[in-house]
Every structure is written in C-alpha cells, then in structure tokens.
Amino acid sequence: MVKCNLVKKIYFSFAVMVGLLFIAACTADPTSEKVPGKFSEKESALNYTDFAGKKVGVYTGAICEQVAMDINSIPAYYTELSAGLEDIRKGRIAGFMTDLSMLMVLAASPGNEDLQVIKVPTEFFIAPMGAISTNQNIIDRFNKFIAGIKANGVLAEMQERWLDDLVDLDPVMPNISLTGLNSTLRVATSGTEVPFAYTGANGQLKGYCIELAYRFAEHEGMTIEFADMEFSGLIPYIISGKADLAISTISITEERKKSVLFTDSFYDDQFGIIILNNNRGTFASSDNVIKTNHSFKTWFKTGIERNLITDNRWKMIVNGLGITMFISLSAHFFGTLFGCFVCFVLTLKNKILRKLGELYCGLIYGTPVVVLLMITYYIIFGNTNISNVIVAIAAFTLVMGATIAQNLKGAIDTVDPVEIEAARSIGFSAFKAFMTVTLPQAVRRALPGYTNSFVELVKATAIVGFIAIQDLTRAGDIIRSRTYDAYFPLLLVASIYLIVTTICVQLFKFVVSKANGGETQ
C-alpha cells in the first residue's frame, strides 16, 4: 500500500511538472518571434534623459544604483540580469543599467534581437574595475602583475578576445599552466557576469576576469581555487578572510575603499542601459513582437537543448541536486539528534536550563534563515577554513534542532498523563514508562511535523548560493545567466524540488511505519 501511494505521488508530481511547463509554454514571451533588430544605439530616438522618473533595474550592491539616481530614474534592485530582462519585456521596468561591455554581448547574442543598448555618458561615471582584498601584499603583487601585462600587450590581447570582438561571443579560454609551487590562490567571483566571469562548458568558469586570475596565479607560481557566489556576497566574503582576492565587475569607488583594498584598474568601462528595441522611441510596444503558435513540444525541445544539452549544463543540475540533498539529509540527521537533546532540556524540571532551551528556540524562530546562515558563515566560522558545505549543514542543523525540539515537545505534552500514571502504578520506572508509553505515541503524533520539516529544509537550502555553494537553485541561476530563459530553468528546478521532496517524504513515512509495526499515518 505504501509503495502504491509512493508511485501515485511521484506520478502526480510529474504531472504537476508537465502542467507548469505547459502553462509556461503558453504564456512565455520566449516562444514568440521577435522583430529582428541590429545592435545599435542609433536606431532609437531615446537617450539617457528619457529615463527620468522611470524604473531602471540595477544590481543589488552595485555602483550603478547611484548613477541611476543621477539621471533621475528610479532604481529597481535585482540579483540577476535575467530577471531584469524579463521585467523589461513585461513592461515592469524601462531598462536595466550595468556595465556596457556586458550589455553589448547580451544584445548581440542570438535570441535577443528585441533588445538594444543606450550608452550612459562617461561624465556620470567611468567604471574602473579592480580586484579587492584585505591583504596589502596581495594587492601590491597584483598591481605589479597588471603593470607587467599592460606593458607586454597581454592585457590588450585579453580585452580584444573577451570585450572588443563581438564576432565570437564565447571565446575559448587559453591554456594556462599552474605549477602550485607556492600554495593556492583563493579567488571569489560571481559567475553570472558575461563576458567577465561566467560558466562555460561542463560548469567551468571562464571570462576576462577569470583569465586574469589564472594568469596572476601562473605569475605567482600558485594553483587556484574559485568560490562562485552572488555578486552582493563578494565584499563580505573578502572581509571575512574566506578568499585572498575577489575579482568580478567590481567598480572602484572612494566609499568602497574605506572597507576593502582595491588593486589598480584592469579595465575601464562605462555604463549602459538595455531596453526593448523599438525604432519609435517608446519603452514597450506590442508592435515589437509578432506572436506565433509554437507548440509545447517545440518549446520544450528547445528548452531542453538550450538549458541542459548545450555545454553539458545538465551536469550542473545533477551536481547541484547532489549538494542540495547532501546538505538536507545531513542537516536533518544531525538536527534530529540535536533536536532530541533540546527537547530533553525543555522537559527538565531545572528552570534555568529549561529557560535556556526556550531562549534558543525563540532566537532561531525569530531569525530569518538567510541571516542565520550568514552569521554562521561570516561570524561563527569566520576565521576558519571549514568547508562551506559543512558550515551550511551546521547552520541548518541549528534550525532543524529548534524545529524538531518544539515539535517533539508538543507531541509529548499531548500524551494523556493518566496513561503514564497507570504504567507507574504497575511498577514501571519513570524512564521505562516514558520509553514504553509516552515516546511511541509522541513519535507517531510528531511524524507529520517531522516529515514537513524535511520538506521545508530542502526548500530552505536554496539560499546556500549566498555562501558560494553551487546547489540546485544556484545551478538554475547560472543557466539562466547564460540562456536568459526566464521560465524553463526556474520551472525545471521547481519540478525537481517537488519530485525529490515527494519521494523523500514517502520514504520517511515508510521507514517510520515499519518501525511502528506497519502502522501508516
């Protein structure tokens, strides 16, 4: 019976996945045929002054926020460009502002003929890019290295390969030999910044900044280790000492210099605003799009090819799922053990210990999980070299410990005291009465909450990308940063979460039912 229910729920989850994809295929703009447009700012009657009073997307934590306000537009904050592009196409924002080089490559990419770029004049801001560190020795060595490759023409060659030549939108990384004789260079980056730092075939990082980091490691006789994370996490990552160097599209500003050390600039860029391509100078128009009747089959096949087959991106999904499940199962196991201990503390007659247990549960419940994860990573384990995955497991163990403790304590409190008194009256010790009468009933009553807590834990692990872990959600974000497909990666990841949690919950129930002599919930 249990196996039959499991199969039914898996089929149901799969049906929901297909339904979501079908709805997306019927409503998604990517299935429409765009009117071809050339990559040229001259085609538009717009300029930067036309964005006054309009919403313009910016990266959270990026300097372009101030530039957007300087041109009298209203900043709208995003953690990824693909979400901003979708809102442009939906008419929710007028455009998205970031580094001009990134937008040039984006607008020239196949499938983005409906987009074009407007330059923001350099008098508003020139974006000199630099790497950051808290180690002055690293800064000095990097500056010496930059001066050397500027002098011998290597930096100009790199700029031509990654930034100046739009014929090849995905250049091949050159072969760079790393000896590793002088230890490891730990580098933090944000791998969604095409063409500076992004994920290529088989999940390998590439781009202008990545090549620069490799060449610096080669120059120093070191090997290299990358930590890929959200852009907003780069500065906290460096300040906490987790990496020697952070390199991405980080603009050098006087305000940021107060917090971290900057290298000399390795590329000076200006900002641009990407908008819908419309020759009549409006921000959005139904004339931009010619609707076609693409079938679900065609859309689904194209989505598979672009998001999974190309560059073996399916491997990122598989690896991300493996990390998600490892963190979830480990945290649930250790959280169960810790939760039982906390529950024991909550049942003690010692008032001080019981209050401490209640205080712990209150603190966990009152703190957002993402904040708790950051505190665990940057403060509690800030000065250690413990693996990011282990830190994530520790953080979620704390969360699960409080959840399971409160759930089990509530279940224990529901057991009728008369049954316990009856057991004691026939000679059972307090411990034997608890193990024979109270615990079995409490476990059965706590099971629904216990299985639900696992589902919530699996979903909560979606935030581990903030501490440079490439889980299932982060893998989907990376794929979106390459394909700019706003629907397929999101729905694929959601469907995988749905199927996995359904299977795991049913397995939990099956195991517990066997332990209870075949009783099901």
Side-chain angles (χ1 to χ4, degrees), residues 24 58 87 127 134 136 197 248 294 364 379 383 481 509:
V58 297
D87 279 355
T134 55
Q136 186 63 54
S248 186
H294 285 239
I364 296 299
I379 298 177
N383 296 319
S481 74
K509 289 184 177 180

Side-chain angles (χ1 to χ4, degrees), residues 42-165:
K42 295 180 182 178
E43 291 189 1
S44 177
L46 294 170
N47 60 45
Y48 73 95
T49 60
D50 293 298
F51 292 88
K54 294 181 171 62
K55 286 185 178 181
V56 172
V58 297
Y59 278 116
T60 302
I63 194 62
C64 50
E65 170 196 4
Q66 183 59 50
V67 179
M69 290 189 288
D70 289 343
I71 64 173
N72 298 316
S73 63
I74 304 169
Y77 300 95
Y78 293 84
T79 58
E80 54 186 35
L81 182 53
S82 57
L85 293 182
E86 181 60 20
D87 279 355
I88 291 173
R89 287 171 170 139
K90 295 288 188 183
R92 293 169 181 153
I93 59 176
F96 195 101
M97 180 187 296
T98 188
D99 298 281
L100 183 63
S101 298
M102 293 175 59
L103 298 182
M104 288 174 63
V105 174
L106 171 60
S109 300
N112 290 330
E113 293 82 7
D114 61 331
L115 302 173
Q116 68 178 63
V117 178
I118 295 173
K119 292 181 180 178
V120 177
T122 55
E123 57 260 30
F124 283 98
F125 189 73
I126 287 289
M129 295 181 190
I132 60 175
S133 180
T134 55
N135 187 329
Q136 186 63 54
N137 183 41
I138 291 284
I139 296 292
D140 293 340
R141 286 153 53 192
F142 192 88
N143 287 341
K144 184 178 178 181
F145 159 73
I146 287 291
I149 62 174
K150 281 182 179 178
N152 63 21
V154 171
L155 192 64
E157 175 191 328
M158 289 174 54
Q159 291 176 1
E160 181 179 356
R161 174 165 46 252
W162 296 104
L163 306 172
D164 299 336
D165 185 5

Side-chain angles (χ1 to χ4, degrees), residues 108-311:
S109 300
N112 290 330
E113 293 82 7
D114 61 331
L115 302 173
Q116 68 178 63
V117 178
I118 295 173
K119 292 181 180 178
V120 177
T122 55
E123 57 260 30
F124 283 98
F125 189 73
I126 287 289
M129 295 181 190
I132 60 175
S133 180
T134 55
N135 187 329
Q136 186 63 54
N137 183 41
I138 291 284
I139 296 292
D140 293 340
R141 286 153 53 192
F142 192 88
N143 287 341
K144 184 178 178 181
F145 159 73
I146 287 291
I149 62 174
K150 281 182 179 178
N152 63 21
V154 171
L155 192 64
E157 175 191 328
M158 289 174 54
Q159 291 176 1
E160 181 179 356
R161 174 165 46 252
W162 296 104
L163 306 172
D164 299 336
D165 185 5
L166 289 182
V167 176
D168 185 1
L169 297 176
D170 196 14
V172 176
M173 276 282 289
N175 272 327
I176 300 173
S177 300
L178 303 180
T179 62
L181 297 176
N182 298 322
S183 72
T184 299
L185 178 69
R186 299 173 301 161
V187 178
T189 191
S190 181
T192 56
E193 312 295 315
V194 183
F196 294 95
Y198 62 99
T199 304
N202 297 315
Q204 299 300 310
L205 285 168
K206 61 188 298 187
Y208 178 75
C209 291
I210 302 301
E211 181 181 342
L212 197 60
Y214 269 108
R215 290 191 181 278
F216 178 56
E218 179 188 39
H219 179 268
E220 296 294 311
M222 306 171 77
T223 187
I224 198 165
E225 179 182 291
F226 284 102
D228 181 10
M229 68 194 69
E230 299 283 351
F231 182 85
S232 58
L234 291 175
I235 290 180
Y237 202 86
I238 282 292
I239 292 176
S240 65
K242 297 292 185 180
D244 304 308
L245 197 72
I247 186 166
S248 186
T249 55
I250 309 172
S251 298
I252 303 172
T253 67
E254 292 302 319
E255 184 177 10
R256 288 174 174 176
K257 285 182 179 179
K258 296 176 182 178
S259 300
V260 291
L261 301 172
F262 273 92
T263 67
D264 294 337
S265 173
F266 50 74
Y267 185 68
D268 292 343
D269 205 353
Q270 68 184 99
F271 287 140
I273 304 174
I274 194 163
I275 64 170
L276 282 179
N277 184 8
N278 191 328
N279 296 335
R280 285 172 294 190
T282 56
F283 289 110
S285 169
S286 59
D287 294 336
N288 251 27
V289 179
I290 301 174
K291 296 294 182 180
T292 58
N293 297 318
H294 285 239
S295 67
F296 170 73
K297 181 179 179 181
T298 301
W299 179 83
F300 187 77
K301 181 180 178 181
T302 302
I304 292 288
E305 290 175 352
R306 291 183 64 209
N307 296 281
L308 296 177
I309 305 302
T310 302
D311 289 340

